C-alpha cells in the first residue's frame, strides 16, 4: 500500500479537500486504484451534531456515517463508496482507546498520547486503507489521506506525531507528503510573496514531516523566480512545486495537476513509474469543456434556511450542476432565504420580501432542501404552494417533501391546522410525525441514517421512469420525522400520489402530483449519490422539467440525449444569494468557492 498525505499551511480554506480529490482523480487516470481518508482533529465523534453554518453540510454515507463534506468531494470525484471509518476524528480515536483501556487491553499500563493514541491512529489508517471502496475485490493501490486544519494547530499535534512515525515505519518509497500552502499577492506591490509558505514548511519540518511536493495556492500561476525561491528555502525540487491558481471550475484542478506533471512527481516518489500508465482524462476533459462553454440558462430558486453559507447545501448545488451539465444548460442558482418569503417579513422588511418573491417568480424551477427546526418553515410552505399552483417544477428533499405534504393538506384538504410535530407537538392534524425508533434524548447518530431501499408501487410515475423503470432504488437518508401513514389515504384521494415506499409499505419515500408537470418530493437525499458523469435522477428530472425537456428524458428512461443541447458558449455556474433584499454575492464558477471567483455568499 502506498500513502499520499495532504496537509495545509498558512490559512484554512485553501482547498485541501479538492486538492486531495484531484490527486485521486489523476492517480486513478493513471490506472491505479485509489481510496481516501479524511482526518478531522475536532473532538466530535462525527459531524452529525454540527451546525451547517459552522462546518458546512453533513455528508451521509451508505453505512449511515455522518461525515465531513470533503468525503462528498472524494466520492463525487473518484466515484467511490466510502464508509464512516474513512473519516477519522479525535473523538473516535480517544473513544476507541478509552474503550480498550476499560476492557483491560493495555494490561495496566499508563495510557498516554504517545504511544497509545498515536498507535491507534496508525492502526486505524492501515486498517481502513485496506478496505476496497470502488466495488472491486482487494485493497487499493494508493490511499490519499487529508489532514484537516492547518499545520501548527494544537488539536492536530497527535496526528502529526502519528503520521511522522507512520512515514518512517512504512518507508520513503511508500509515503509521500503534499503540502498545500498560500502564496499571496499583495495589492500594494503586486508581488507573489513566499514567506508564509517558507514559515509553514519550516513548521512542518520542525514537527517531523518533510514535504515532497508543494501545491501553492495563488490568484495566478507562480513566476519561475518564485518557484526557485521556494525550492531553495523549502528544500523541495522546483519540478515538484505546482501552482493551483484560481479557476472558474474545480473540475479543472486535475487537469492543472496533469499539465504540471504532478503525477510524475507522485509516481516517482512512490516508486510506481513502472506500474502506472499515462493519465487518461479524456472523458473528464470533455465534461469540463462542456461545463465551461454552456450558454442557454436554467434558473433554479433554492429556498432554504442556511443560504448564508453555500457549503451548507454543497451536495445539493453539485447535484444541480451535474444535472444541468447533462442537459447542456448553464445553471443559475438563486439562494432565497425562506424567512424572506413570509408575511412577517413583508411588514418588517418589505424590500426583502419583494426581492425574495421576485426571485421565486422568476425561476424556472423551485427546490426546497432538507433542514431542521421551524425557522423559515412558513416561507418554504409558501414556496411549495406557489410551485404547485403555478405549475412550476418543484423538488422537495427530506424536509422539502414534508413541507409539500403539509401545504397540500392545508390548501387542498382544507386542514388549516395541518402541521409537523417537529414544529407543533400539539397539532390536531399531524401530517408529519416523529419516527417511533428515534431518540428524543440523544441527538448524535440516532436518526434514520444511510442507504435504505425504496420500492416503486406506481409503475407509470415520473420518478420510476427517471430511475430507468427499475422496481426499487437505494438512496441515503437522514431524518427523524416522517409522513404520518394514517394520513396517506386521505391525501391520495385528493390527488397526491405516494409512488415510493419502504419495504413495509408504511414509510413514505417519494411523492408526486400526476397533474403537475413536475412536482416531486423525496424523503431521502438523492444529492449524496450524484456524480459528475451520473447525475441524480430526481435532480435530472427537475432540470429537464425546468428546461421544458422532461418528456424527452422520460421517453429515454432517465437518459439525456444530445438533442437537448441548445447552444454552448463561454459560461459556467452562477449563484446569487439574496437576503434582506440585498444581493450578498454573485458568483461565476464553482459553488465550492475554493478554486473559483466566489461561491453562494462570497465566503472563501
Amino acid at each position: 500500500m502506498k500513502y499520499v498525505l495532504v496537509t495545509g499551511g498558512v490559512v484554512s480554506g485553501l482547498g485541501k479537500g479538492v486538492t486531495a480529490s484531484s490527486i485521486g482523480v489523476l492517480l486513478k487516470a493513471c490506472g491505479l486504484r485509489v481510496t481516501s481518508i479524511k482526518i478531522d482533529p475536532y473532538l466530535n465523534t462525527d459531524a452529525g451534531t454540527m451546525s451547517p453554518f459552522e462546518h458546512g453540510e453533513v455528508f451521509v454515507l451508505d453505512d449511515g456515517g455522518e461525515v465531513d463534506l470533503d468525503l462528498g468531494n472524494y466520492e463525487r470525484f473518484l466515484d467511490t463508496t466510502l464508509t464512516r471509518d474513512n473519516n477519522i476524528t479525535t473523538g473516535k480515536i480517544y473513544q476507541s482507546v478509552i474503550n480498550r483501556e476499560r476492557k483491560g487491553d493495555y494490561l495496566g499500563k499508563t495510557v498516554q498520547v504517545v504511544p497509545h493514541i498515536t498507535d491507534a491512529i496508525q492502526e486505524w489508517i492501515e486498517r481502513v486503507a485496506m478496505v476496497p471502496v470502488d466495488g472491486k475485490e482487494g485493497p487499493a493501490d494508493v490511499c490519499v489521506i487529508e489532514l484537516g486544519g492547518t499545520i501548527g494547530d494544537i488539536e492536530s499535534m497527535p496526528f502529526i506525531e502519528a503520521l511522522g512515525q507512520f512515514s518512517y515505519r512504512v518507508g520513503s518509497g511508500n509515503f509521500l507528503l503534499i503540502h498545500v500552502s498560500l502564496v499571496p499577492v499583495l495589492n500594494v506591490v503586486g508581488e507573489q510573496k513566499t514567506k508564509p509558505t517558507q514559515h509553514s514548511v519550516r513548521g512542518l519540518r520542525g514537527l517531523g514531516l518533510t514535504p515532497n511536493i508543494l501545491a501553492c495556492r495563488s490568484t495566478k500561476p507562480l513566476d519561475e523566480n518564485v518557484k526557485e525561491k521556494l525550492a531553495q528555502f523549502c528544500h523541495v525540487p522546483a519540478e515538484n512545486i505546482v501552482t493551483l491558481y484560481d479557476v472558474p471550475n474545480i473540475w479543472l484542478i486535475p487537469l492543472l495537476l496533469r499539465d504540471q506533471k504532478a503525477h510524475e512527481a507522485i509516481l516517482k516518489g512512490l516508486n510506481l513509474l513502472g506500474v502506472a500508465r499515462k493519465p487518461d482524462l479524456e472523458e473528464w476533459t470533455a465534461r469540463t469543456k462542456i461545463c465551461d462553454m454552456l450558454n442557454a440558462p436554467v434558473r433554479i430558486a433554492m429556498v432554504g434556511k442556511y443560504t448564508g453559507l453555500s457549503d451548507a447545501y454543497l451536495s445539493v448545488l453539485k447535484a444541480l450542476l451535474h444535472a444541468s451539465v447533462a442537459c447542456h444548460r448553464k445553471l443559475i442558482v438563486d439562494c432565497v432565504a425562506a424567512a424572506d418569503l413570509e408575511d412577517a417579513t413583508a411588514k418588517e422588511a418589505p424590500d426583502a420580501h419583494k426581492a425574495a418573491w421576485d426571485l421565486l417568480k422568476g425561476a424556472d424551477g423551485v427546490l426546497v432542501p432538507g433542514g431542521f427546526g421551524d425557522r423559515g418553515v412558513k416561507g418554504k410552505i409558501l414556496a411549495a404552494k406557489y410551485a404547485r399552483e403555478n405549475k412550476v417544477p418543484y423538488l422537495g428533499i427530506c424536509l422539502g417533501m414534508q413541507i409539500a405534504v403539509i401545504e397540500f393538506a392545508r390548501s387542498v384538504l382544507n386542514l388549516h391546522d395541518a402541521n409537523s410535530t417537529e414544529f407543533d407537538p400539539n397539532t390536531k392534524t399531524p401530517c408529519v410525525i416523529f419516527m417511533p425508533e428515534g431518540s428524543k434524548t440523544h441527538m448524535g447518530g440516532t436518526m434514520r441514517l444511510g442507504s435504505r431501499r425504496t420500492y416503486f408501487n406506481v409503475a407509470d410515475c415520473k420518478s420510476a421512469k427517471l430511475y430507468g423503470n427499475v422496481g426499487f432504488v437505494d438512496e441515503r437518508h437522514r431524518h427523524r420525522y416522517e409522513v404520518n401513514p394514517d394520513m396517506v389515504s386521505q391525501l391520495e384521494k385528493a390527488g397526491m400520489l405516494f409512488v415510493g415506499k419502504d419495504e413495509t409499505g408504511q414509510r413514505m419515500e417519494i411523492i408526486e402530483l400526476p397533474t403537475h408537470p413536475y412536482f416531486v418530493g423525496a424523503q431521502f437525499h438523492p444529492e449524496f449519490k450524484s456524480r459528475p458523469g451520473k447525475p441524480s435522477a430526481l435532480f435530472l428530472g427537475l432540470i429537464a422539467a425546468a428546461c421544458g425537456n422532461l418528456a424527452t428524458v422520460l421517453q429515454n428512461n432517465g437518459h439525456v440525449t444530445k438533442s437537448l443541447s441548445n447552444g454552448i458558449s463561454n459560461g459556467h455556474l452562477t449563484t446569487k444569494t439574496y437576503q434582506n433584499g440585498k444581493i450578498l454575492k454573485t458568483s461565476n464558477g464553482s459553488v465550492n468557492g475554493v478554486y473559483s471567483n466566489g461561491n453562494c455568499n462570497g465566503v472563501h
Side-chain angles (χ1 to χ4, degrees), residues 483-558:
V483 173
N484 187 350
D486 296 336
M487 292 279 298
V488 170
S489 60
Q490 194 175 356
L491 290 162
E492 287 193 318
K493 287 177 182 177
M496 176 172 279
L497 293 184
F498 292 87
V499 301
K501 300 179 181 180
D502 75 342
E503 67 278 1
T504 68
Q506 296 299 304
R507 187 156 280 157
M508 304 303 114
E509 294 283 5
I510 306 175
I511 65 165
E512 284 188 18
L513 294 181
T515 59
H516 192 285
Y518 190 80
F519 194 95
V520 176
Q523 185 58 73
F524 49 79
H525 289 264
E527 68 270 23
F528 291 141
K529 295 180 76 171
S530 182
R531 303 287 184 263
K534 295 181 286 186
S536 163
L538 299 186
F539 279 86
L540 182 62
L542 174 67
I543 297 296
C547 297
N549 292 317
L550 181 60
T552 305
V553 174
L554 293 178
Q555 287 173 6
N556 289 282
N557 295 326

Side-chain angles (χ1 to χ4, degrees), residues 406 409-411 413-421 423-424 426-432 487:
I406 294 169
R410 289 181 181 181
S411 301
L413 295 177
N414 294 316
L415 300 173
H416 300 298
D417 59 347
N419 213 333
S420 167
T421 56
F423 315 131
D424 181 6
N426 300 315
T427 180
K428 294 180 181 179
T429 311
C431 287
V432 179
M487 292 279 298

Side-chain angles (χ1 to χ4, degrees), residues 223-234 236 238 241:
D223 297 332
E224 284 303 315
N225 65 312
V226 173
K227 278 190 176 184
E228 292 172 5
K229 192 173 182 181
L230 285 170
Q232 181 180 0
F233 289 102
C234 297
V236 175
I241 299 175

Side-chain angles (χ1 to χ4, degrees), residues 235-286:
H235 301 178
V236 175
E239 61 270 20
N240 285 14
I241 299 175
V242 297
T243 313
L244 299 179
Y245 54 86
D246 293 347
V247 292
N249 180 353
I250 61 171
W251 293 353
L252 288 165
I253 301 305
L255 307 181
L256 273 184
L257 291 170
R258 179 203 59 189
D259 293 344
Q260 296 176 75
K261 298 186 178 350
H263 58 288
E264 293 183 4
I266 295 171
L267 296 174
K268 182 179 179 181
L270 295 176
N271 295 328
L272 289 173
L273 279 174
V275 178
R277 66 183 185 220
K278 290 183 178 180
D280 179 9
L281 288 168
E282 184 177 351
E283 183 180 346
W284 187 278
T285 304

Side-chain angles (χ1 to χ4, degrees), residues 445-484:
T446 58
M447 288 184 276
R448 183 169 178 249
L449 292 164
S451 182
R452 308 290 176 119
R453 184 155 290 181
T454 295
Y455 292 88
F456 291 106
N457 55 1
V458 178
D460 197 38
C461 65
K462 296 182 182 72
S463 301
K465 290 179 179 178
L466 287 167
Y467 276 104
N469 283 322
V470 295
F472 61 84
V473 292
D474 295 316
E475 292 281 10
R476 298 175 184 180
H477 294 67
R478 186 176 186 251
H479 64 112
R480 285 193 176 88
Y481 293 81
E482 62 177 337
V483 173
N484 187 350

Side-chain angles (χ1 to χ4, degrees), residues 144-217:
V144 179
I145 307 165
E146 178 194 346
L147 176 61
T150 307
I151 293 301
D153 293 345
I154 293 174
E155 63 231 28
S156 63
M157 289 302 177
F159 292 100
I160 294 287
E161 175 61 30
L163 289 164
Q165 295 178 16
F166 188 69
S167 67
Y168 176 74
R169 186 158 60 84
V170 300
S172 58
N174 297 313
F175 186 94
L176 183 132
L177 196 158
I178 300 175
H179 188 59
V180 183
S181 187
L182 178 68
V183 178
V185 178
L186 300 182
N187 290 333
V188 179
V189 294
E191 180 186 357
Q192 293 174 329
K193 293 295 183 181
T194 64
K195 194 63 72 175
T197 296
Q198 291 181 45
H199 284 299
S200 180
V201 171
R202 186 178 297 127
L204 185 63
R205 295 177 67 185
L207 294 169
L209 288 170
T210 301
N212 304 98
I213 296 174
L214 287 182
C216 298
R217 289 284 291 112

